[in-house]
Amino acid sequence: MKNCDNKAPKKSAKIRRPISDKAYRDFKNRLEVTLLSHLCNETAYMEAVNLLDSYIDGTAIDPIKCESSQEAVIAFHIIRPEIDKAMKRSSDARRRAMLRREAALTDIAETKPQDTPENKTITPEKDRMTADEAIYRTKQSGANTLSRRQRRELDRQLSRNRRKNLNSHLQTFPTFR
């Protein structure tokens, strides 16, 4: 019989913030360096972290009505533009990730059965899209929705085409021996 007492405790749910954990740690460290190291004011540091948390959670902060100390408010407002940039960067990254996930799901839904000699079809050369055309269409659509894997495959295809064109061009010239 198995002993169930030695199970590892379950991980607590990860706190989802509108900024990355790395950016959040960076902002807390900067507040700590400013308020604890230089001013040695622990209450101002705690108030500044509370201001940071409430701002990230979406609570508007009015510096006039704020009950925090002046040091905490000033330290928070110094890094506030960078917090806004981090929030925008994170939302853009999450939106791109969502688009990639949706594209992957539609690719999975549209997959064909395994190519076997019986059902294998060859796309005519004129109907195939070249890497240049794919990049051009992606740029024209205004959205960079290609995954890293797709971009690398396009780069490889472009390199192959360039080498093939160079080789065919070199073969047209007579060789001198």
Side-chain angles (χ1 to χ4, degrees):
M1 188 167 155
K2 292 184 178 180
N3 186 359
C4 296
D5 295 336
N6 58 0
K7 285 185 178 179
K10 291 185 178 181
K11 292 183 179 180
S12 61
K14 184 178 178 181
I15 299 172
R16 297 275 307 184
R17 296 185 183 95
I19 61 173
S20 67
D21 290 336
K22 181 180 176 184
Y24 182 75
R25 283 191 309 268
D26 179 52
F27 293 136
K28 279 183 69 172
N29 284 340
R30 289 169 65 183
L31 291 172
E32 180 180 351
V33 167
T34 304
L35 296 173
L36 286 180
S37 300
H38 295 298
L39 299 178
C40 298
N41 192 345
E42 189 170 338
T43 57
Y45 168 71
M46 295 306 293
E47 290 171 350
V49 170
N50 288 337
L51 286 172
L52 174 67
D53 289 338
S54 62
Y55 185 73
I56 289 173
D57 292 337
T59 307
I61 298 170
D62 186 7
I64 297 172
K65 296 179 183 177
C66 186
E67 297 176 4
S68 300
S69 65
Q70 288 181 347
E71 294 92 359
V73 173
I74 290 171
F76 169 74
H77 280 287
I78 287 173
I79 63 171
R80 184 174 172 179
E82 294 176 46
I83 296 169
D84 293 334
K85 286 180 190 174
M87 290 171 73
K88 183 179 181 329
R89 211 175 31 239
S90 184
S91 68
D92 290 346
R94 287 187 176 134
R95 183 179 41 78
R96 285 191 307 269
M98 181 185 67
L99 290 173
R100 279 195 307 270
R101 281 192 298 272
E102 289 174 357
L105 289 176
T106 56
D107 286 346
I108 290 171
E110 294 174 356
T111 56
K112 297 178 183 176
Q114 291 289 335
D115 286 336
T116 59
E118 296 85 32
N119 65 358
K120 192 170 193 174
T121 58
I122 299 174
T123 307
E125 188 66 37
K126 63 182 175 69
D127 293 339
R128 290 185 189 160
M129 185 188 318
T130 65
D132 293 327
E133 291 171 348
I135 292 171
Y136 177 75
R137 288 182 184 177
T138 303
K139 287 180 180 177
Q140 289 299 319
S141 68
N144 188 8
T145 57
L146 294 177
S147 68
R148 181 172 182 240
R149 180 180 293 159
Q150 291 167 332
R151 288 192 312 267
R152 291 178 71 193
E153 179 60 35
L154 287 175
D155 288 341
R156 285 189 209 108
Q157 189 177 0
L158 279 172
S159 297
R160 278 186 232 122
N161 289 343
R162 285 186 197 119
R163 281 193 303 270
K164 187 169 66 172
N165 290 340
L166 180 64
N167 288 338
S168 65
H169 180 69
L170 291 176
Q171 289 174 358
T172 59
F173 292 111
T175 56
F176 297 105
R177 292 185 188 186

